[in-house]
Amino acid sequence: MPLLLAFVVLLPLLPGVVLTYVTGRSMQPARRRLSAWVAGVVAGLALLLLLQMAPAVFAGQTLLLHLDWLPQAGLNLGFRLDGLSLLFGILITAIGVLIVLYAAWYLAPDDPAGKLYALLMLFMAAMLGVVLSDNLLMLVVFWELTSVSSFLLVGYWGHRADARAGARMALAVTGGGGLAMLAGIILLGQVGGSYELSVLLERGDVVRAHPLYPVILGLVLVGCFTKSAQVPFHFWLPEAMAAPTPVSAYLHSATMVKAGVFLLARLYPILGGTEMFQFWVAGAGLVTLAYAAYAAVFKHDLKGLLAYSTISHLGLIVFLIGLNSPLAKVAAVFHILNHATFKASLFMTAGIIDHETGTRDMRKLAGLLRFMPWTATLAMVAAAAMAGVPLANGFLSKEMFFDAALHASGGPWGWLVAAVAVFFGICSVAYSLRFIHDVFFNGEPRDLPKPHPHEPPLFMKLPVIVLVAVCLLVGVFPAQTLGPLVRAAATAVVHGPLPDYHLALWHGFNLPLAMSGIALVGGALMYAVLQRRFRLHRHRPPRLSGRLLFMKSLGALDAAARRVTRLTENGSLQRYVAVLLASGIAVAAWAVLRQGTGVAEGTRDLLPASPLAIVLWGILLAAGAALVLGHRERLRAVVFAGVVGLVTAITFEALSAPDLALTQLAVEVVSTALLLMGLALLPRTTPRESGALRRTRDAVLASFGGAGVGWLAWLALTRDHDSLSWYFLAKSVPEGGGANAVNVILVDFRGYDTFGEITVLGIAAVGVLAMLDGWRARRERTDEGGLPWSFGRPSLMLRVGAGFVLPLALAVSAYIFWRGHNLPGGGFIAGLVTAAALVLQYMASGQSQAEARLGGDTSVRFTRWIASGLAIAGLTGVGAFAFGRPFLTSAYAHPVLPILGEVGLATAALFDLGVYCTVVGATLLLVSTLGAASKEGFKK
């Protein structure tokens, strides 16, 4: 059953994203409906999987799934299902199903449905990953994915400036908080000795007693407060209301904004229970709930009012989590569920009103009751739950909040917390009344963009009906509907037994009930006074706001960055290299000077210099000197650089490193061809730009840098040391299944490094294509000597020779590839040999004819080669998970085959095939792109 946890996340992440996007790309109504069906079914299946595991969680079990990936770094794939993660998982998937249904009727015909559903599936997967992660580093990855996907969702209407600005602000605030949280999580893992929640939850005492506890707490709180829009990081949430209403209803009521709340609850057994935690968390929540509730009363936009109401209720939940009371955690968990139901229904109601009237401005909306009676009734029930009216679910959790506020703090300041709680209740009633009165009563509508509003289709109202019904059912029968889920979640938060409590509609006449009554009466009076005496519709927001401060800070940061850029970047590459080289020399010299007299030549016995070595040194010195002195002649520089590479290859061979020699030789051939193609786009000589002083500076830096590196190499080579090479040599055959230690290192022991390198190679090749695609060189009709340019047909001998070389080279590359695991060779060398043979075809036949033989649009073909290579290498690594092994763990066997006899087979060969495809694709993509850029017309 724990394996189902991975499928809960993977369902929306892979089939959900891909299928919804593919089926919804067309604007045809049938395809759009199909995309909605796919999204709904995927979310429904994820919900069913969670419900299937729910009985075990209610029985007190914690379901765990653990897969090793990089255990040495603490990065493993771990999933965890307890009461808290089950509660959030049900919220994410159940409300997700309703949002998909609502969006199907909300979107305009020209809105790309596939894009919205695909992004919703991506966000759903990210949120499920956050709440189900057992590994904190994996949780951070999903956390940042929620920020990225929410950025795309808020900016869904990219043609609108407010959507783009809101998306950027949300990403900047939540992404910045995520970076701070990452630092806190890393410190937490180091202090706690593990990144697994299953381990850390038992080591809370160790973490809280550590000197770094305040730092860890502060960094984690920044991440939580930015995500859950707590003061002073609250301003991004109202700006994000530029998103489509289905996005607001999903992200900003039930899911994303509650990610910070979830993490606070999840880490409470580790970080909570201290006076510091209570002061900062409960204090921030108290300030937020009061300020945002008051601000919500004065918002004229429906979604703006709901946004500040959401901030206020999030502050309420944060306040309850911050209190050192188990019953406060019960209230927090209960209100998480209640708030999600009534706030999602209110957001969708606001979307219906906007959809039917064309505006969300309450100064224009009025008297909609007679046009939309069913919508008005649903909105009244949901607003009653938000205000805390009896028989609605919000009344119950708000009474629990009042009770927690009464017991929050003793001493002379205890009354202040209770007073702030009552003030919050008064404001929540006031803005709930305003939502209902201004929209459905209060006279006649004024200047509506759509002057004839009416009830929306039934299926657009159906999600609201379901959520409002839940509000009433939970309000009347709380223990029977949500009792087991609340108990399981609260138990997971406190990580221990709970005191006795009862979820019931009636607890008798007590002080919390009196506070509820005061809030109801006071809220009604507050709204009436503001509406009649202070002309609430004429209120203008204050000029100073969090958004204004953020924009001013961002502008100041940009200005400072421009000033620093002007000081440090003058466009001179020489200056940049000189600064980097001088800094490197200074750092190295400082380290050596600190060592003092301890830096001396080692006592290792030296080998005598052979005549071949002396000759190679002489050639190397001569080629290097010629390269420095003649570097302005670009062709000559390429030739001498090739000589240096050739000497390096011979040196590798002389030192018994045939793999390195073959690789170096193949790299020299291919890179020389690419450099020559690049030179065709440049003048033959480099202009003289440096004066005598700059050349002197460069000579001094080069001399010190070269001498220093040579000296350090000499110090290292003359010392005895324990080399890691012996480990690889000893383990290559028994653990890697190959006698060629170099290849086994590349595709097995250090396979992750190789995977990163081929990824960079592919990115570089695609980057060159992106920069030069469609670009054409323009040169003079004659060269510097006055001779006209001509593009003659290659010689017949070259064309015939190339025809013989290609099949021979392909055979050689296949041989090198297959023997690479046990003899010198491998996918990288084979790829370079194949690429060199194909480059020769370009040289012999010309680009047009060569590309015609390869099948037309080679840029697309070679890009697919790169993608295929990376996919093969990546899937080879992922395949190890199926056998419970870490990423890129290889397996090998020696079956006996007919005729061939015993054959060594290793899964690393598949990884090597990915390397081969990527190298060939990247090299030929560079050749094709540079060749296309050379197809120029002459300047007129």
Side-chain angles (χ1 to χ4, degrees), residues 20 22-38 100 103-105 107-114 117:
T20 52
V22 171
T23 56
R25 293 180 68 181
S26 172
M27 290 296 181
Q28 297 176 0
R31 297 293 298 273
R32 294 163 64 88
R33 286 195 296 270
L34 178 60
S35 183
W37 271 105
V38 170
V100 169
W105 296 91
L107 292 178
D110 57 346
D111 287 333
Y117 295 133

Side-chain angles (χ1 to χ4, degrees), residues 302-615:
L302 278 177
K303 286 176 68 174
L305 183 151
L306 293 176
Y308 273 93
S309 167
T310 297
I311 296 170
S312 177
H313 282 269
L314 289 171
L316 183 155
I317 299 169
V318 169
F319 169 76
L320 291 171
I321 293 175
L323 297 179
N324 294 330
S325 164
L327 287 179
K329 307 305 177 293
V330 177
V333 167
F334 192 32
H335 197 67
I336 287 171
L337 288 166
N338 293 336
H339 176 259
T341 53
F342 66 69
K343 191 55 64 67
S345 62
L346 285 170
F347 266 114
M348 285 189 271
T349 301
I352 289 173
I353 294 168
D354 187 17
H355 189 270
E356 300 302 326
T357 65
T359 183
R360 302 193 307 258
D361 191 341
M362 287 185 286
R363 292 169 295 187
K364 297 180 180 180
L365 296 167
L368 294 185
L369 176 62
R370 64 190 179 93
F371 300 104
M372 308 167 66
W374 287 103
T375 302
T377 303
L378 294 172
M380 291 176 194
V381 177
M386 181 167 66
V389 176
L391 300 183
N393 59 354
F395 169 75
L396 302 176
S397 52
K398 194 169 288 187
E399 271 211 328
M400 297 172 73
F401 159 66
F402 287 145
D403 183 68
L406 287 171
H407 299 89
S409 177
W413 295 102
W415 65 269
L416 181 60
V417 176
V420 172
V422 172
F423 176 74
F424 156 80
I426 291 172
C427 291
S428 64
V429 172
Y431 62 66
S432 300
L433 276 173
R434 185 180 184 194
F435 186 99
I436 298 302
H437 180 259
D438 278 10
V439 174
F440 299 106
F441 301 95
N442 201 27
E444 295 294 323
R446 295 170 287 275
D447 301 324
L448 295 181
K450 296 180 180 179
H452 304 291
H454 53 79
E455 286 287 353
L458 173 62
F459 286 103
M460 192 173 184
K461 288 186 294 191
L462 185 59
V464 184
I465 294 172
V466 171
L467 291 172
V468 167
V470 171
C471 291
L472 292 175
L473 282 173
V474 174
V476 178
F477 307 107
Q480 294 81 357
T481 52
L482 296 181
L485 184 58
V486 170
R487 179 171 291 277
T491 302
V493 174
V494 301
H495 198 58
L498 294 171
D500 290 334
Y501 69 92
H502 302 283
L503 294 179
L505 177 61
W506 179 252
H507 291 282
F509 293 100
N510 52 28
L511 195 52
L513 181 63
M515 295 168 72
S516 295
I518 294 172
L520 289 171
V521 175
L525 290 175
M526 179 182 183
Y527 175 68
V529 171
L530 288 175
Q531 186 72 296
R532 295 184 180 182
R533 296 286 183 91
F534 295 95
R535 303 288 183 178
L536 191 56
H537 282 181
R538 296 181 182 179
H539 171 76
R540 293 184 179 181
R543 292 183 178 181
L544 185 63
S545 63
R547 177 185 182 277
L548 180 63
L549 293 176
F550 174 80
M551 298 304 296
K552 292 288 187 183
S553 301
L554 201 61
L557 187 62
D558 286 342
R562 285 193 293 270
R563 286 195 295 270
V564 172
T565 301
R566 284 196 298 269
L567 290 173
T568 58
E569 293 191 22
N570 63 348
S572 171
L573 295 179
Q574 283 182 312
R575 178 178 177 181
Y576 304 156
V577 173
V579 171
L580 288 174
L581 188 57
S583 302
I585 293 172
V587 170
W590 174 73
V592 170
L593 292 175
R594 282 190 62 192
Q595 188 71 18
T597 57
V599 180
E601 180 180 332
T603 58
R604 188 177 184 178
D605 293 335
L606 305 181
L607 297 175
S610 65
L612 175 61
I614 296 174
V615 171

